[in-house]
């Protein structure tokens, strides 16, 4: 189907609840007729709330929703040509499969001959011919999901909304259903709007992906665009596996990160603080002398199709995927081709670096224990009486499998010429006057670059310490 006409338009949609919580903020979107579009993001990002507003179950606090150019913002759900499939299929257990699918048509007073014809057609579509008289509780999860989809599409909606419909299925069944849904979309030719937090699911199925975070759209594009050209560090980190590094442009088409200088294809002004994104499959491991970065292999995990190899260089951690194995303790070099380095101007120049959890369950950086509790950082976790670290479900957490990243803004770091006072030490490798302050790049002894704003003039190559208050740090957890 040619996708030219907008079927749904969301204009400046905001949803704020009575307690003041804003679930969706100034959201704008155009959906073409016949598209398969996916809302992708972590729990609580606003994707389901947006879907519910399209369905009519929630009314926007501000903004307008258009269907085929006509406003439907206040139209009740039963007046919209839209059907929804939920994660929990909401089938009627006292009805057989035929009756479940026919329910919506009967509500519309559709003649029985027409109902029989339509039900037969959708049962063929979902590959459940001959199941008409079966009870719901005799079906597998995948079969129940097919019935829920059949019940939705038998009403011939213009738009089918799917809210994490595969979330209750096991991995094998989920992958099978992904392909089946994509094929159903092709056969039906109607617009699918899908919600998931599963990146692979979104990449596999969608014509277009909307990445959301904290109620806002971060990026919209094809799966290829989202994966290969993430617009910011959040998208890069959320979509697939990524190595994300602070860096600095050191010249024309030259970028430095992890202590090494690399040629790149992004023409950004020299001295600009950047974020460099490198996918693990694009990291080439070489002999130490052949690499622009040198490091030590600290982990090797066999993943079936490849090995996942972690290399530490200074305080930088680089993850590579390779069909060739390595050994823990090997010294290796790291190379990356220019077109495999995606360079983005750093968002408000925030500095990002990784911390470590020591054997006493303390967070430390560069050998200094930070005055912060892990149970405050990892929400819901507790320290048990026997000294174990437990998550909210009472399961023991392995510190080696919990990665904590720290963000701090340039204006929250103070330079000192007493290097020993600093959380980390280094030298000034670049400075730019910004009108009311100087922006410095400090290349540290750990082969990391930090951007620091200071009103006072320091000299190039000055050796300095960086004072970084814990109360100015933002902690992010990845398991």
């Amino acid at each position: 189907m040619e996708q030219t006409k907008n079927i749904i338009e969301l204009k400046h949609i905001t949803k704020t609840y009575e307690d003041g919580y804003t679930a969706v903020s100034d959201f704008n979107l155009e959906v073409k007729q016949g598209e398969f579009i996916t809302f992708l993001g972590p729990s609580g990002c606003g994707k389901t709330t947006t879907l519910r507003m399209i369905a009519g179950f929630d009314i926007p606090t501000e903004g307008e929703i258009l269907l085929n150019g006509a406003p439907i913002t206040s139209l009740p759900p039963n007046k919209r040509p839209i059907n929804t499939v939920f994660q929990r299929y909401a089938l009627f257990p006292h009805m057989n499969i035929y009756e479940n699918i026919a329910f919506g048509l009967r509500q519309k007073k559709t003649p029985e001959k027409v109902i029989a014809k339509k039900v037969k057609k959708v049962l063929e579509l979902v590959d459940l011919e001959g199941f008409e008289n079966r009870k719901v509780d005799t079906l597998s999860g995948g079969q129940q999901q097919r019935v829920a989809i059949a019940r939705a599409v038998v009403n011939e909606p213009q738009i089918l909304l799917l809210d994490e419909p595969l979330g209750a299925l096991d991995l094998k069944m989920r992958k099978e259903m992904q392909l089946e849904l994509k094929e159903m979309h092709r056969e039906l030719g109607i617009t699918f709007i899908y919600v998931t937090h599963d990146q692979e699911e979104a990449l596999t199925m969608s014509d277009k992906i909307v990445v959301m975070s904290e109620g806002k759209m971060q990026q919209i594009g094809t799966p290829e665009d989202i994966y290969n050209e993430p617009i910011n560090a959040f998208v890069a980190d959320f979509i697939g596996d990524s190595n994300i590094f602070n860096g600095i442009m050191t010249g024309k088409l030259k970028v430095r990160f992890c202590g090494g200088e690399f040629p790149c294809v992004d023409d950004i002004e020299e001295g600009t603080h950047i974020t460099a994104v490198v996918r693990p499959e694009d990291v080439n491991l070489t002999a130490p002398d052949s690499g622009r970065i040198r490091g030590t292999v600290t982990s090797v995990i066999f993943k079936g199709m490849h090995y996942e190899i972690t290399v530490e260089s200074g305080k930088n951690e680089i993850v590579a995927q390779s069909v060739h194995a390595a050994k823990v303790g090997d010294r290796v070099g790291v190379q990356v081709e220019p077109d495999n380095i995606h360079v983005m101007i750093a968002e408000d120049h925030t500095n990002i670096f990784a911390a470590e959890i020591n054997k006493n369950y303390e967070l430390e950086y560069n050998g200094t224990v930070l005055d912060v509790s892990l149970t405050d950082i990892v929400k819901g976790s507790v320290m048990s009486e026997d000294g174990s670290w437990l998550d909210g479900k009472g399961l023991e957490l392995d510190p080696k499998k919990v990665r904590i990243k720290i963000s701090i803004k340039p204006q929250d770091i103070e330079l000192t010429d007493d290097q020993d006072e600093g959380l980390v030490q280094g030298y000034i490798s670049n400075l730019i006057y910004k009108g009311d302050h100087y922006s410095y790049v400090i290349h540290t002894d750990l082969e990391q670059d930090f951007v620091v704003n200071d009103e006072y003039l320091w000299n190039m190559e000055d050796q300095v310490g960086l004072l970084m208050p814990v109360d100015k740090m933002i902690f992010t957890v990845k398991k």
Side-chain angles (χ1 to χ4, degrees):
M1 179 179 290
E2 187 181 0
Q3 299 173 358
T4 56
K5 180 184 175 185
N6 287 338
I7 188 167
I8 278 283
E9 296 174 68
L10 278 63
K11 296 187 174 182
H12 303 289
I13 294 296
T14 294
K15 179 62 179 179
T16 302
Y17 291 99
E18 291 181 2
D19 62 1
Y21 173 69
T22 299
V24 177
S25 177
D26 194 24
F27 191 88
N28 294 275
L29 178 67
E30 294 180 352
V31 180
K32 302 292 184 186
Q33 188 170 338
E35 270 190 317
F36 193 128
I37 191 163
T38 298
F39 295 157
L40 174 66
S43 298
C45 72
K47 53 189 187 294
T48 293
T49 302
T50 305
L51 200 77
R52 288 178 60 83
M53 288 190 285
I54 295 172
F57 300 130
D58 282 346
I59 304 300
T61 310
E62 299 175 23
E64 189 175 34
I65 300 175
L66 304 179
L67 175 68
N68 294 319
I72 61 165
T73 312
S74 301
L75 206 64
N78 64 328
K79 299 293 185 182
R80 303 185 187 200
I82 298 170
N83 275 66
T84 307
V85 178
F86 300 98
Q87 180 175 339
R88 308 214 175 272
Y89 317 127
L91 300 175
F92 300 116
H94 61 285
M95 296 182 182
N96 63 22
I97 304 310
Y98 183 97
E99 297 298 327
N100 263 282
I101 296 172
F103 182 81
L105 296 174
R106 291 218 170 98
Q107 295 296 104
K108 297 177 180 178
K109 310 296 185 187
T110 306
E112 284 298 323
K113 283 187 178 181
V114 177
I115 291 176
K117 185 177 180 181
K118 286 178 178 285
V119 171
K120 183 176 185 296
K121 182 179 178 182
V122 296
L123 281 170
E124 291 174 356
L125 176 69
V126 298
D127 198 23
L128 287 176
E129 308 99 308
F131 281 68
E132 292 91 332
N133 297 317
R134 293 275 294 272
K135 292 290 186 182
V136 169
D137 57 9
T138 67
L139 303 184
S140 69
Q143 289 169 332
Q144 289 186 32
Q145 182 60 277
R146 290 190 184 97
V147 174
I149 292 168
R151 187 176 63 179
V153 301
V154 77
N155 293 297
E156 299 175 349
Q158 294 183 35
I159 301 169
L160 184 64
L161 307 180
L162 302 109
D163 188 5
E164 306 236 25
L166 310 184
L169 305 180
D170 62 51
L171 180 61
K172 185 173 184 294
M173 180 61 70
R174 194 159 68 238
K175 288 184 178 296
E176 290 175 2
M177 283 300 299
Q178 287 171 13
L179 299 178
E180 290 187 22
L181 276 173
K182 187 67 177 171
E183 180 61 20
M184 285 182 209
H185 173 255
R186 188 189 66 78
E187 289 187 28
L188 290 166
I190 64 176
T191 304
F192 277 31
I193 303 179
Y194 195 92
V195 161
T196 184
H197 64 272
D198 187 313
Q199 311 127 33
E200 184 180 346
E201 196 164 275
L203 292 169
T204 299
M205 301 172 69
S206 314
D207 297 324
K208 193 180 291 180
I209 297 173
V210 177
V211 184
M212 297 181 66
S213 175
E214 297 180 348
K216 296 181 179 179
M217 182 191 298
Q218 299 294 313
Q219 186 171 355
I220 182 170
T222 65
E224 292 84 356
D225 290 340
I226 298 291
Y227 188 84
N228 294 321
E229 298 292 331
I231 200 169
N232 57 33
F234 173 84
V235 176
D237 194 36
F238 193 77
I239 303 293
D241 296 321
S242 296
N243 295 290
I244 301 176
F245 307 112
N246 286 330
I248 185 79
M249 298 302 296
T250 54
K252 177 81 170 173
L253 302 180
K254 289 183 180 178
V255 61
R256 187 179 71 228
F257 55 87
C258 296
E261 188 175 65
F262 294 81
C264 66
V265 297
D266 296 283
D267 192 4
I268 298 174
E269 184 181 359
E270 180 180 353
T272 303
H273 183 217
I274 59 90
T275 300
V277 177
V278 181
R279 298 290 184 184
E281 62 267 27
D282 294 327
V283 176
N284 300 318
L285 299 183
T286 68
D289 292 344
S290 301
R292 292 182 179 273
I293 302 171
R294 298 175 182 83
T296 303
V297 174
T298 58
S299 172
V300 180
I301 302 172
F302 181 57
K303 294 280 190 174
M305 296 292 289
H306 62 266
Y307 294 91
E308 183 179 277
I309 301 168
T310 302
V311 177
E312 281 191 2
S313 175
K315 283 291 181 181
N316 298 294
E317 187 177 82
I318 305 145
V319 178
Q321 291 177 359
S322 175
V323 295
H324 303 292
K327 293 181 181 178
V328 173
D330 282 355
R331 290 288 294 173
V332 295
V334 173
Q335 281 279 22
V336 186
E337 294 299 317
D339 56 356
N340 288 331
I341 300 172
H342 180 54
V343 178
M344 303 174 291
I345 296 176
E347 299 174 73
D348 65 19
H349 301 288
T350 297
N351 299 285
I352 302 172
F353 56 100
E356 297 175 348
I357 301 172
N358 66 24
K359 63 181 180 180
N360 297 319
Y361 296 103
E362 298 168 320
L363 196 66
E364 65 175 57
Y365 177 71
N366 194 26
T368 299
V369 173
L370 304 179
D371 186 18
V372 63
S373 170
L374 280 181
T375 55
D376 290 336
I377 296 172
V378 182
K379 302 302 181 185
S381 69
V382 296
M383 291 296 177
S384 67
E385 292 182 2
D386 66 1
S388 300
W389 185 26
L390 308 178
D391 66 12
K393 298 178 181 178
L395 302 175
E396 186 169 357
L397 288 165
D398 183 352
K400 295 179 181 177
K401 295 182 179 178
V402 179
R403 298 172 61 191
I404 296 179
K405 291 193 174 181
I406 300 175
S407 305
I408 188 167
K409 294 183 177 179
Q411 62 267 30
D412 293 328
I413 302 176
E414 184 180 341
L415 298 179
T416 175
D417 53 11
D418 187 346
Q419 295 181 60
D420 293 337
E421 285 188 15
L423 186 59
V424 67
Q425 299 76 36
Y427 68 90
I428 296 174
S429 64
N430 193 279
L431 70 87
I432 304 171
Y433 184 58
K434 296 282 190 172
D436 60 350
H437 69 274
Y438 295 90
S439 179
Y440 297 96
V441 177
I442 315 301
H443 188 65
T444 70
D445 299 341
L446 303 178
E447 302 294 350
Q448 293 172 308
D449 290 309
F450 283 81
V451 173
V452 180
N453 293 344
D454 197 315
E455 61 181 304
Y456 299 108
L457 177 61
W458 296 72
N459 298 316
M460 289 286 289
E461 307 293 331
D462 276 354
Q463 295 286 330
V464 294
L466 304 187
L467 303 174
M468 294 190 274
V470 172
D471 62 355
K472 297 293 186 181
M473 296 179 178
I474 297 173
F475 301 92
T476 306
V477 181
K478 289 193 72 177
K479 297 180 183 178

